[in-house]
Amino acid sequence: MRIKPVILVFVVTSLCLAGCDQVSVKERRTEFLLDTAVTIAAYGPQAKEAVAAALAEMNRVADLLDANNPDSEVSLINRNAGRKPVPVSAEVFELVELCQHYSQMSSGAFDITVRPLVELWGIGNKDEYVPGPEEIDRALELVDYRQIILDQQKKTVYLPRAGMGIDLGGVGKGYAADRAREMLLEHGISSALIDAGGNIWALGERPDGKPWRIGIRHPRPKADRNVVAVLSGRDFTIVTSGDYERFFQRNNIRYHHIFNPATGLPARGLISATVVGPNSAEADILSTAVFVLGADQGLALVRQLPQITAMVVTPDLDVLLAGPLQSYFEFTGKEGVGR
Ligand code: ADP
Ligand code: MG
């Protein structure tokens, strides 16, 4: 199983979770889905039913979006690349539209047509390797979000060239976390933590009325220090993209799973990008986009979005922040704004 990034959520919140058993009914369950461990802890009289419904919903979303599941809508879109437009659910259509919006905003740093690159590099699979420049160029010819053809009326998605493919790995966990949150709210839950492999929804506040405290993993942890900062707050989602989550090393170079669509190589500008906001699908997209754009352009993008806060860590371990919630971050070491 992969080691998860953000999120020492268990460590940081475990005292609360343990101490709060008496004050309200609690349900906590972990399942493996969306290629990661998902944990939901909820408080309230209907916690058990709520968590079961939330996990069922996340499983449904996972089945819809998994490019490696031949029955998913995403697979159907990919199988028909260069052949015909594919009618999809309103849900998948809207998700692709959302991705397209942020692809435009990020000048293509976030691009769901990265699938040929994902398949070529095979990061995290048995066959992972460093491809040659010609192979990368060939894959890159098929990577371009502007070529996706969306038909609003017919709700179809069309990839016009054979070999193109979409991969919703950069948004799926966030979207699933949003859906899980909706399920918990429908069951009257006002205090819960959803951890979808580093995509956290801290719903409401802790059952004792205090703010949630979420630890953000240090991208280069040491024995005595594995958290770079802690975010305290109520009712927010926090998502981190890092180069330490899925990678392999060759000749002392780290090759990880977030690609720069401009080069076809793993993005090099940052080693971790954390995004905080009111919607986890968007925070997930933006954590990937900011990671690819690097500190200057990434934080410039964040400053255009009034509800979004971001924290980035550069390869030199400088920590930079942008957005309205900056003062809610506590730093645990010498790192801080501009270090
Ligand atoms: P994680 O899935 O590990 O939380 P991210 O949210 O940053 O990390 O998403 C990375 C995943 O998104 C990759 O595994 C791949 O499937 C896909 N991806 C990689 N590069 C990009 C990119 N530039 N734009 C959109 N999706 C990407
Ligand atoms: Mg992401």
Side-chain angles (χ1 to χ4, degrees):
M1 194 175 29
R2 292 194 283 146
I3 298 172
K4 297 291 78 205
V6 176
I7 290 242
L8 293 164
V9 69
F10 299 141
V11 178
V12 177
T13 61
S14 60
L15 291 175
C16 159
L17 298 185
C20 294
D21 278 351
Q22 296 83 359
V23 294
S24 57
V25 181
K26 173 196 156 191
E27 171 78 352
R28 180 180 165 160
R29 271 175 60 187
T30 299
E31 266 186 32
F32 195 83
L33 59 105
L34 289 159
D35 208 16
T36 192
V38 173
T39 298
I40 304 181
Y43 299 85
Q46 281 203 71
K48 204 173 165 64
E49 298 80 356
V51 171
L55 284 169
E57 175 67 358
M58 292 180 88
N59 273 295
R60 185 190 66 80
V61 170
D63 288 346
L64 205 61
L65 303 186
D66 183 359
N68 296 318
N69 167 6
D71 298 327
S72 73
E73 286 193 16
V74 167
S75 282
L76 202 61
I77 294 169
N78 292 346
R79 265 205 304 282
N80 284 292
R83 295 177 55 209
K84 58 177 187 204
V86 175
V88 295
S89 58
E91 191 175 14
V92 166
F93 192 84
E94 280 166 26
L95 204 52
V96 172
E97 279 188 320
L98 183 74
C99 291
Q100 292 293 79
H101 170 72
Y102 283 107
S103 295
Q104 276 156 17
M105 274 203 90
S106 66
S107 311
F110 184 86
D111 187 335
I112 56 172
T113 67
V114 290
R115 184 155 171 86
L117 283 173
V118 172
E119 290 195 298
L120 176 67
W121 285 81
I123 308 235
N125 302 334
K126 279 196 307 287
D127 54 355
E128 59 190 10
Y129 79 118
V130 183
E134 299 83 14
E135 284 175 296
I136 292 176
D137 283 348
R138 237 176 288 136
L140 271 181
E141 278 175 27
L142 297 164
V143 176
D144 183 359
Y145 69 95
R146 290 165 299 196
Q147 294 187 24
I148 300 179
I149 297 170
L150 298 177
D151 186 322
Q152 281 285 351
Q153 257 79 50
K154 296 185 184 144
K155 293 274 179 284
T156 56
V157 181
Y158 182 38
L159 304 177
R161 292 169 61 202
M164 285 184 81
I166 61 172
D167 179 319
L168 298 181
V171 63
K173 292 196 288 286
Y175 177 66
D178 284 334
R179 292 300 312 150
R181 172 177 173 261
E182 288 298 324
M183 288 296 137
L184 297 181
L185 291 175
E186 280 178 22
H187 283 78
I189 300 293
S190 56
S191 174
L193 272 181
I194 303 163
D195 177 359
N199 286 239
I200 304 283
W201 241 116
L203 198 154
E205 57 189 17
R206 283 176 14 176
D208 61 4
K210 292 191 174 144
W212 295 108
R213 287 170 59 75
I214 306 294
I216 300 162
R217 189 179 153 178
H218 198 298
R220 300 289 182 266
K222 300 190 185 76
D224 60 338
R225 182 135 181 270
N226 49 16
V227 172
V228 69
V230 176
L231 178 68
S232 298
R234 292 180 169 83
D235 217 35
F236 61 93
T237 182
I238 176 166
V239 180
T240 296
S241 288
D243 73 349
Y244 48 83
E245 183 155 0
R246 214 187 304 177
F247 67 93
F248 66 93
Q249 223 139 327
R250 291 279 182 284
N251 301 325
N252 264 334
I253 300 174
R254 184 186 290 238
Y255 297 97
H256 62 80
H257 71 313
I258 304 172
F259 297 104
N260 183 345
T263 61
L265 302 168
R268 291 283 174 224
L270 292 171
I271 59 175
S272 148
T274 297
V275 170
V276 184
N279 177 293
S280 205
E282 294 185 41
D284 196 1
I285 292 174
L286 285 166
S287 72
T288 307
V290 169
F291 187 95
V292 172
L293 285 170
D296 291 350
Q297 290 182 52
L299 295 181
L301 171 62
V302 167
R303 289 189 192 99
Q304 293 177 45
L305 303 164
Q307 292 187 301
I308 301 295
T309 300
M311 185 198 93
V312 300
V313 184
T314 69
D316 297 331
L317 294 181
D318 282 331
V319 179
L320 302 160
L321 292 158
L325 301 185
Q326 290 181 48
S327 61
Y328 292 75
F329 286 84
E330 291 161 37
F331 291 92
T332 55
K334 70 174 169 21
E335 291 90 352
V337 184
R339 203 193 276 233

